[in-house]
Amino acid sequence: MNHTAARTYRAVHWATTRLQESLEEARRRPDRGDISTTTVIIWVAAVTGAVLIAGTIAVVIAKYNGKLNGL
């Protein structure tokens, strides 16, 4: 087995083992503190709002940049 194939095998084996351990943990402790859907929605809305505000500011500055130089 060449070096790349060996590394790939180890990576797949590690990922598979980790997934199995995670599923077992989820079965053992179903309330293990996962992030709620509401929290994810709030974070997505906050990040989207921040990106929209920053984009709007960038567009306004780009549009009026020549007029603002004289101030």
Side-chain angles (χ1 to χ4, degrees), residues 1-68:
M1 186 181 297
N2 66 26
H3 182 68
T4 304
R7 288 184 66 181
T8 303
Y9 174 79
R10 285 194 304 268
V12 169
H13 179 69
W14 175 84
T16 304
T17 304
R18 181 69 181 107
L19 178 61
Q20 288 173 346
E21 290 171 356
S22 296
L23 290 173
E24 289 172 10
E25 177 73 15
R27 276 188 230 106
R28 210 170 42 247
R29 291 180 34 205
D31 60 342
R32 65 187 195 282
D34 287 339
I35 298 175
S36 70
T37 305
T38 306
T39 304
V40 172
I41 291 170
I42 291 169
W43 273 101
V44 168
V47 170
T48 303
V51 168
L52 287 174
I53 291 169
T56 302
I57 291 171
V59 167
V60 169
I61 288 176
K63 184 176 180 179
Y64 294 106
N65 197 22
K67 296 178 183 176
L68 295 175

